[in-house]
């Protein structure tokens, strides 16, 4: 039996329920595997939405007549630079059609949608009702729909250099194209010194 998920933009939830009730719902999110993912939705998501820095999308499911928060993802628009050597011939051919090639840097510059955060809620074992692959697919489908209006064909994300994360994104059609050094405010919640950058052509 196919599970039915309801995806709600955080801004819409705030409009319907108010900020205090929305904060209460977000504070129930628990993700022991990734402190950054947990801290973002509990502390930063509402402010980021207010400022238009990123849009948070919440995934709910009706469980025993009660809507439960299963996971979330955030989307924003960013400019990225992709070195020519980091692309396969197939990806290079596709990206060359809408990316600007800069000879000086041997790289393509283009605007792309960033999946900034993606996480699953482990509170009260609701994580068993959705897979990480499903959250990622919902996020990518949301990006595809947005690109019908604004253009573009690429989605990208960044993750820590952890084997299970790298394997997860690789197995779901993403290709590594570079590394980004951590910002100062990221060092407390993330391990290592850099994040691996991944892209996927939709």
């Amino acid at each position: 039996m196919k599970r039915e998920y309801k995806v709600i933009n955080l801004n819409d939830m705030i409009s319907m329920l108010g900020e205090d009730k929305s904060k209460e719902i977000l504070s129930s999110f628990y993700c022991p595997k990734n402190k950054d993912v947990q801290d973002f939705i509990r502390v930063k998501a509402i402010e980021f939405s207010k400022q238009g820095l990123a849009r948070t999308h919440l995934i709910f499911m009706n469980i025993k007549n009660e809507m439960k928060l299963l996971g979330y993802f955030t989307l924003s628009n960013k400019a990225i630079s992709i070195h020519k050597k980091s692309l396969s011939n197939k990806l290079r051919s596709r990206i060359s059609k809408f990316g600007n090639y800069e000879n000086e840097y041997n790289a393509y510059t283009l605007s792309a949608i960033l999946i900034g955060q993606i996480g699953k809620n482990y509170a009260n074992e609701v994580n068993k009702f959705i897979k990480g692959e499903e959250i990622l697919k919902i996020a990518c489908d949301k990006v595809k729909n947005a690109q019908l209006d604004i253009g573009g064909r690429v989605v990208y994300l960044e993750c820590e250099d952890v084997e299970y994360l790298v394997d997860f994104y690789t197995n779901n059609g993403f290709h590594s194209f570079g590394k980004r050094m951590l910002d100062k405010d990221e060092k407390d919640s993330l391990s290592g010194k850099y994040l691996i950058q991944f892209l996927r052509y939709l």
Side-chain angles (χ1 to χ4, degrees):
M1 181 177 176
K2 186 178 180 181
R3 290 171 176 161
E4 293 187 6
Y5 304 119
K6 186 174 182 63
V7 182
I8 299 177
N9 187 306
L10 176 56
N11 277 4
D12 293 335
M13 188 172 78
I14 293 171
S15 296
M16 290 185 292
L17 303 179
E19 189 169 321
D20 289 342
K21 181 61 178 179
S22 297
K23 284 181 178 178
E24 181 183 331
I25 293 170
L26 300 185
S27 68
S28 69
F29 191 93
Y30 174 60
C31 186
K33 291 188 175 184
N34 193 317
K35 186 176 184 294
D36 185 56
V37 165
Q38 177 178 289
D39 289 349
F40 179 86
I41 193 168
R42 287 184 176 186
V43 180
K44 301 177 183 178
I46 289 178
E47 198 59 36
F48 270 53
S49 285
K50 283 182 176 179
Q51 296 177 7
L53 298 174
R55 297 301 183 197
T56 297
H57 301 268
L58 309 165
I59 303 172
F60 289 90
M61 182 180 177
N62 191 321
I63 302 173
K64 296 181 180 180
N65 295 319
E66 188 175 352
M67 295 301 288
K68 296 289 187 179
L69 176 59
L70 304 187
Y72 82 98
F73 58 91
T74 66
L75 302 178
S76 60
N77 204 41
K78 300 282 186 178
I80 55 173
S81 180
I82 307 172
H83 199 279
K84 183 178 179 180
K85 289 183 179 179
S86 66
L87 297 169
S88 66
N89 290 334
K90 185 177 182 180
L91 272 175
R92 191 182 306 157
S93 175
R94 287 173 168 176
I95 288 176
S96 65
K97 295 175 183 178
F98 56 90
N100 296 318
Y101 184 69
E102 300 182 34
N103 286 305
E104 183 180 354
Y105 303 104
N106 291 320
Y108 293 94
T109 300
L110 63 153
S111 180
I113 293 180
L114 166 70
I115 302 176
Q117 299 281 352
I118 184 168
K120 185 161 55 168
N121 190 7
Y122 288 81
N124 301 314
E125 298 186 334
V126 296
N127 57 293
K128 65 185 179 183
F129 291 100
I130 195 167
K131 296 179 180 178
E133 290 85 350
E134 292 175 293
I135 299 176
L136 187 58
K137 183 182 186 304
I138 291 170
C140 288
D141 287 345
K142 180 70 73 173
V143 171
K144 284 182 185 179
N145 288 333
Q147 289 174 336
L148 291 175
D149 294 324
I150 65 175
R153 297 297 299 272
V154 168
V155 61
Y156 85 104
L157 53 81
E158 301 172 330
C159 77
E160 295 174 87
D161 191 1
V162 179
E163 186 177 1
Y164 81 90
L165 287 174
V166 173
D167 289 344
F168 172 73
Y169 292 117
T170 301
N171 292 336
N172 281 279
F174 282 78
H175 305 271
S176 173
F177 70 88
K179 296 178 180 178
R180 179 179 68 80
M181 301 304 293
L182 293 180
D183 294 330
K184 287 183 179 179
D185 61 346
E186 295 175 313
K187 292 180 180 179
D188 289 338
S189 55
L190 297 172
S191 62
K193 296 181 179 179
Y194 61 86
L195 295 175
I196 298 180
Q197 298 172 303
F198 283 92
L199 68 82
R200 179 178 169 187
Y201 185 88
L202 299 175

